[in-house]
Amino acid sequence: LLNHGLIATNTSNIGHAGDIQIRATSTFTIAGTDEDGLKSALNSSSTSEDNHSGEAGTISLQANILTLAAGGEINTSTQNAGGGNIGMTVRNLLHLQQSKITTSARGGRGDGGNITLDNPHFLVLNRGQVKAQANAGHGGNIRIVAEQFIPSVDSLVSASSRLGIDGQV
């Protein structure tokens, strides 16, 4: 997904946003923006502000090498419901360079989604962010299992809630 390449699911009502499942046999890259500054992304969201809004979907990704660069994002978000989960199994390299993997419940009492990053030989964060956040619900949990975890000092891994209980990393 390059230069505003996008795979997305969305709900603006009470229904579930829908799940995204990708199985790449080799390398999968999400990188770059278009001329209007729109980012490349995998995204599942719920945009309804109604108290009975649907939840964001789940994103599952498997690859040998996964690269997110130049603003590339994988995210689930909800305005007023539960956040979707993100689960990734990467065999060799998971590299985030100036990019994000996030789940968020921006309003209401919905819990943030969970993020699981499983089994890369190398997980490299170079100004990268992995965040699971909520507003009043529980912050999502982040689980990272990697042989080598190499973050730059300006990278961030955070599981938080503004008004509720923070998640765990």
Side-chain angles (χ1 to χ4, degrees), residues 4-107:
H4 189 228
L6 178 66
I7 297 174
T9 62
N10 182 43
T11 183
S12 59
N13 210 326
I14 61 173
H16 184 287
D19 298 332
I20 298 171
Q21 185 175 40
I22 295 177
R23 289 189 183 135
T25 58
S26 182
T27 300
F28 193 78
T29 301
I30 303 170
T33 58
D34 68 6
E35 60 274 356
D36 295 323
L38 298 172
K39 298 177 181 183
S40 297
L42 288 179
N43 178 301
S44 181
S45 62
S46 170
T47 55
S48 174
E49 295 187 24
D50 187 327
N51 285 335
H52 303 290
S53 61
E55 294 189 352
T58 295
I59 296 176
S60 301
L61 193 143
Q62 294 178 359
N64 192 32
I65 297 172
L66 175 61
T67 301
L68 281 80
E73 295 184 356
I74 297 175
N75 64 64
T76 64
S77 63
T78 180
Q79 188 60 36
N80 206 29
N85 296 323
I86 297 174
M88 289 189 267
T89 301
V90 179
R91 285 188 291 260
N92 287 323
L93 172 65
L94 174 51
H95 187 198
L96 277 72
Q97 182 175 1
Q98 297 178 341
S99 55
K100 299 177 185 179
I101 298 172
T102 61
T103 64
S104 62
R106 294 186 304 267

